[in-house]
Amino acid sequence: MSEKPEHFIVDGKRLDGRRVDELRPIKIEIGVLGRADGSCYLEWGNNKVLAAVYGPRELHPRHRQKMTRSVVQFRYNMASFSVDERTRPGPSRRSIEISKVSREAFEPVVFTKFFPKTAIDVFVEILQAGAGTRTAGINAASLALADAGIPMRGLVSACAVGKVDGEIVLDLMKEEDNYGEADLPVAMTAGRQITLLQMDGHLTTEEFYRALELAKTGCDQVYELQRQALIEKYSKEYTTEIEDEDPAPAGEPEGDADE
Ligand code: ADP
């Protein structure tokens, strides 16, 4: 683990040169897995995460099926090579907790009533961890669900805010996450309904509300990048489909002959 830095903010700049209200760079690729119904690869600072969605599909064992809705299942997993010191493979208390809160972050937005007796399975694999993996996983999962065509009220966007050197900062990096005074991961819909809110550390009430406002601006920025990534993916696919279509034979009218 890295050493605690003496200062996190010098001349208004953080350890990686960002302003206090600046996100780390985000890169998104949608539809990266051939066998999944929906998928997304997302890089955020040093985080590299992959999300895959399968379903709606029959839920087994059957006694877990719900007659009136689909069951959303979420598994967050850290690859053993994703951190400096190898993590033990398999579920840990931390990954079980993150899976639970991430699943709950999607509960208000997924139209589960459309698919009774089924499961919608979301897998998030952390390939490289660098602080904020739960929020990175939620952002990738949101796009993988959209890519799978799961009906949702909207995308869920997430980011963390925190406190270092007495200042409220957006999108904590590793050192800020490890040694900062507070860490507050938040997920919300585009309409700013909060679907996940956790907090480690201490904030005054005034700081908490200021942090929440900053998280909202962070989530708005993430949402815009998610939206752009979806537009890019589907506008490309649509253009290719049109180009691939056989042109109508010359002289023949296009459209239905019975019309
Ligand atoms: P999040 O990744 O959502 O910020 P935490 O606050 O629990 O969740 O973790 C902060 C960071 O600590 C992670 O992003 C990761 O870089 C590191 N970390 C978490 N678990 C381990 C672990 N078992 N071994 C080494 N580093 C870890």
Side-chain angles (χ1 to χ4, degrees):
M1 202 191 254
S2 53
E3 301 251 306
K4 181 176 181 191
E6 207 171 317
H7 298 288
F8 290 96
I9 303 173
V10 180
D11 296 335
K13 290 270 170 78
R14 291 151 75 179
L15 296 172
D16 56 4
R18 279 182 295 152
R19 298 185 312 268
V20 291
D21 60 351
E22 201 177 336
L23 293 175
R24 291 171 291 179
I26 296 180
K27 204 178 105 185
I28 298 171
E29 204 174 326
I30 297 171
V32 289
L33 299 175
R35 240 172 266 135
D37 294 309
S39 57
C40 175
Y41 171 72
L42 186 143
E43 290 184 4
W44 189 350
N46 289 329
N47 295 308
K48 297 187 180 191
V49 317
L50 191 57
V53 167
Y54 297 82
R57 61 185 181 182
E58 198 174 350
L59 173 59
H60 292 287
R62 284 203 165 170
H63 68 84
R64 294 197 49 230
Q65 291 180 355
K66 301 284 177 213
M67 285 307 168
T68 56
R69 64 174 174 90
S70 179
V71 174
V72 178
Q73 309 190 106
F74 197 110
R75 196 193 71 166
Y76 164 102
N77 183 55
M78 259 187 157
S80 53
F81 52 80
S82 65
V83 287
D84 293 339
E85 278 171 42
R86 180 180 179 276
T87 56
R88 263 180 72 158
S92 61
R93 279 174 65 113
R94 177 177 172 277
S95 69
I96 292 167
E97 172 220 316
I98 295 178
S99 299
K100 175 184 181 288
V101 295
S102 302
R103 174 175 53 74
E104 288 170 355
F106 287 98
E107 249 166 31
V109 298
V110 177
F111 286 105
T112 52
K113 294 224 163 79
F114 290 180
F115 310 106
K117 299 196 217 169
T118 66
I120 297 169
D121 290 312
V122 185
F123 297 90
V124 164
E125 293 290 321
I126 308 301
L127 307 175
Q128 186 172 291
T133 58
R134 79 192 64 200
T135 48
I138 287 170
N139 291 331
S142 186
L143 291 168
L145 281 161
D147 186 37
I150 305 291
M152 292 189 286
R153 286 189 174 81
L155 292 173
V156 173
S157 311
C159 74
V161 281
K163 183 180 168 188
V164 293
D165 285 354
E167 283 212 46
I168 303 298
V169 297
L170 180 64
D171 186 19
L172 304 180
M173 57 183 284
K174 189 84 187 301
E175 287 79 1
E176 295 169 339
D177 192 311
N178 288 350
Y179 305 110
E181 293 142 67
D183 172 15
L184 193 96
V186 179
M188 61 182 75
T189 64
R192 290 189 161 181
Q193 280 189 314
I194 293 171
T195 64
L196 172 141
L197 196 153
Q198 297 184 280
M199 188 167 119
D200 248 356
H202 299 279
L203 292 176
T204 65
T205 311
E206 185 271 328
E207 283 170 340
F208 172 81
Y209 283 110
R210 211 147 36 87
L212 203 52
E213 279 310 306
L214 189 58
K216 286 177 183 173
T217 65
C219 288
D220 285 351
Q221 292 175 58
V222 171
Y223 172 75
E224 200 42 46
L225 295 170
Q226 289 172 304
R227 208 174 68 87
Q228 286 303 331
L230 277 172
I231 290 171
E232 198 177 304
K233 160 94 196 306
Y234 285 99
S235 59
K236 221 189 280 171
E237 218 158 74
Y238 183 60
T239 320
T240 325
E241 262 172 37
I242 290 175
E243 279 169 4
D244 286 352
E245 256 175 39
D246 288 338
E252 272 184 36
E254 286 189 38
D256 198 326
D258 295 334
E259 261 173 10

